[in-house]
Amino acid sequence: MSVNAEPVVVIDRLTKKYGGFVALDSLSLQLNRGQILGFIGPNGAGKTTTIKVLVGQLRPSSGSARIAGADCARDSRIKQLVGYMPDTFGAYDGMRVLEYLDFFGAAFRIPRTERKVRIGAVMEMTGAAYMKDRFVETLSHGMKQRVALARTLLHDPPVLILDEPAGGLDPQARIEMRDTLLRLAAAGKTLIVTSHILPELGRVCDQVAIITHGKLRAFGTVAQIMRTVTQERLIEVQLATNDQLAQATEVVALQAGSGVEVTTSTAECMIRFRTRMTEDAAGDLLARLVQAGVRVNQFREVQADLEETFLTITHGDMPSGDRETTPQVASAKKGVRDAKPTH
C-alpha cells in the first residue's frame, strides 16, 4: 500500500458525553495517506459516535478531529473530504443503477459532463459497470455493496469511511471487495473500515484500532498489538517425515527452555510452541535442528490472528454474559486442546 508520511486523519483527545454517559473518552489516533485502518469494537463501544464526528454529523464535547486539515465539527469542506458508506443501502426503488449514481452526483453538484465521466470511472473501479441498466431493487446484496461503494467514491474524497463493506457477502465477493479496498489505498485513499469479519479485516489493514467503552484499548499493526497482548510468538516447525518428530521435539524443548509447552501433530507432521525467544534464538534453534539431521520442510512464525487478539483485549471489559467465543476461535482453541502434548 502506498503510504505518505503526512497525517490525513488526526483525532486528538476526542471526547463525547451525553449527560453523565461518556460515549468517547479522549480518543487519539492518526492515519497517513494511503493507509487502511480497521476500526473494531463490540456494540456500544463508541465506533458510531466516532464516525458521526468524522463525517460532521456530531459535535464533540471536547478534543478535535481533523481530516486533510479541516475541522470535522466546524469546517463545511468536510462533506467533500469524506466519503461515508453506511451498513445499510437505502431504498431507491424504480431507479436504474446509472440513474441512482447520477442522482447522487447531482447532489454533490458535480457538473453534468464531468458527472458522466466520474460515474463511469467509479463503476469501473468497483466492478459495477455491468449492472448500470438494472433496477436497484433487483440487485443482490453483493451488487448493492458495489453500487454503494461507487456512490461513496463519486465526489472523489481523500478519506473513505466504510461501515461493514463485506457484511453479508459470500467468500468470492469478500475477496473482490478486499481487492477493491487495496486498490483504493494504492491510489492514495485513506480508509477507515469497520467489520465483524475480523480475519478478513486483518488481511487488508495497515493499522488496527480496538475500542471498548469509548476508550482506545489498542492501536498499531496486528503483529504489534498481538506482541503487546501476549509478548509471545507462535512457532511452527513442519518436518519431512513423522519418524523424526520425537527427535525434533526433544531439540525444540531443550532450546525453548523450561515452562514452554510443545505440542505435536502427527497428521500434519508438525511441532508448535509459544515462546519469547528472539529472532537470533529462533535462528539458532533451526540451525540445531539441521545439525541434528532433522529434515525441516518449514520453520515459521504464525501471523497473529486479529480475532483472537480482539477477544483477548476486550474480554476483561465485557460483562460475563457478553463474553462469547466465535466459531473460528472456538475451533482454533479446540485444535490446540486436541494436539498431543509432549512430555
Side-chain angles (χ1 to χ4, degrees):
M1 302 175 194
S2 174
V3 178
N4 190 300
E6 182 180 353
V8 175
V9 178
V10 179
I11 300 175
D12 182 27
R13 293 169 290 180
L14 191 65
T15 300
K16 180 61 181 177
K17 298 179 181 179
Y18 296 94
F21 175 69
V22 182
L24 274 182
D25 190 355
S26 196
L27 176 68
S28 296
L29 59 86
Q30 292 188 5
L31 280 178
N32 296 335
R33 181 177 182 268
Q35 284 191 319
I36 301 178
L37 171 72
F39 192 42
I40 60 178
N43 294 335
K47 301 190 301 298
T48 301
T49 300
T50 305
I51 289 172
K52 284 184 175 181
V53 172
L54 291 175
V55 301
Q57 293 181 358
L58 193 64
R59 283 181 174 268
S61 302
S62 62
S64 65
R66 305 180 74 86
I67 289 179
D71 190 309
C72 295
R74 297 177 175 85
D75 199 319
S76 60
R77 294 178 298 154
I78 205 67
K79 302 296 185 185
Q80 293 294 324
L81 295 171
V82 180
Y84 175 46
M85 176 179 159
D87 59 352
T88 55
F89 184 78
Y92 290 88
D93 293 355
M95 297 180 73
R96 298 182 189 275
V97 169
L98 199 58
E99 296 170 328
Y100 173 84
L101 293 175
D102 186 69
F103 169 78
F104 278 94
F108 279 111
R109 299 180 180 178
I110 302 172
R112 183 178 294 275
T113 303
E114 182 184 342
R115 197 157 71 229
K116 183 177 180 181
V117 175
R118 188 69 194 145
I119 289 172
V122 297
M123 291 182 77
E124 187 67 31
M125 168 64 77
T126 59
Y130 73 93
M131 63 183 86
K132 64 180 181 179
D133 294 321
R134 299 191 185 187
F135 285 99
V136 170
E137 65 267 28
T138 68
L139 302 179
S140 68
H141 179 70
M143 291 176 178
K144 286 181 178 179
Q145 290 294 81
R146 290 174 185 267
V147 174
L149 183 56
R151 177 196 66 205
T152 305
L153 292 168
L154 271 174
H155 60 297
D156 197 23
V159 174
L160 303 174
I161 300 177
L162 311 178
D163 195 358
E164 297 287 344
L169 299 184
D170 61 48
Q172 181 60 39
R174 286 208 304 269
I175 291 171
E176 292 168 357
M177 178 62 74
R178 180 183 70 199
D179 291 343
T180 300
L181 300 186
L182 291 172
R183 287 199 305 273
L184 288 169
K189 302 293 185 186
T190 302
L191 288 78
I192 298 176
V193 183
T194 73
S195 179
H196 287 98
I197 309 172
L198 301 190
E200 192 70 27
L201 198 62
R203 294 187 181 98
V204 300
C205 293
D206 301 286
Q207 303 282 334
V208 173
I210 299 178
I211 183 173
T212 63
H213 298 299
K215 284 183 173 290
L216 185 65
R217 303 297 179 179
F219 178 64
T221 66
V222 176
Q224 287 170 342
I225 293 172
M226 191 66 177
R227 291 282 173 81
T228 301
V229 172
T230 67
Q231 297 184 332
E232 290 184 342
R233 53 178 50 173
L234 175 61
I235 303 292
E236 287 187 346
V237 184
Q238 187 176 48
L239 308 184
T241 58
N242 282 331
D243 58 3
Q244 290 189 308
L245 269 176
Q247 178 190 3
T249 300
E250 185 176 342
V251 174
V252 169
L254 183 63
Q255 193 75 8
S258 60
V260 175
E261 182 181 3
V262 181
T263 62
T264 63
S265 170
T266 305
E268 299 173 282
C269 209
M270 186 83 73
I271 299 170
R272 293 184 176 90
F273 63 99
R274 291 192 178 275
T275 179
R276 299 190 182 194
M277 64 172 48
T278 63
E279 294 286 344
D280 289 342
D284 290 341
L285 169 58
L286 177 58
R288 287 183 178 276
L289 287 168
V290 174
Q291 290 170 3
V294 177
R295 294 193 301 167
V296 179
N297 280 356
Q298 191 175 71
F299 186 101
R300 71 186 186 105
E301 178 180 356
V302 178
Q303 187 176 5
D305 180 84
L306 180 57
E307 192 165 34
E308 195 161 2
T309 303
F310 171 75
L311 289 174
T312 301
I313 291 173
T314 60
H315 188 75
D317 291 326
M318 298 169 65
S320 59
D322 293 335
R323 297 175 186 173
E324 296 180 357
T325 301
T326 62
Q328 295 94 324
V329 173
S331 176
K333 289 179 177 178
K334 181 178 184 298
V336 173
R337 288 196 301 267
D338 290 346
K340 179 183 176 183
T342 299
H343 301 286

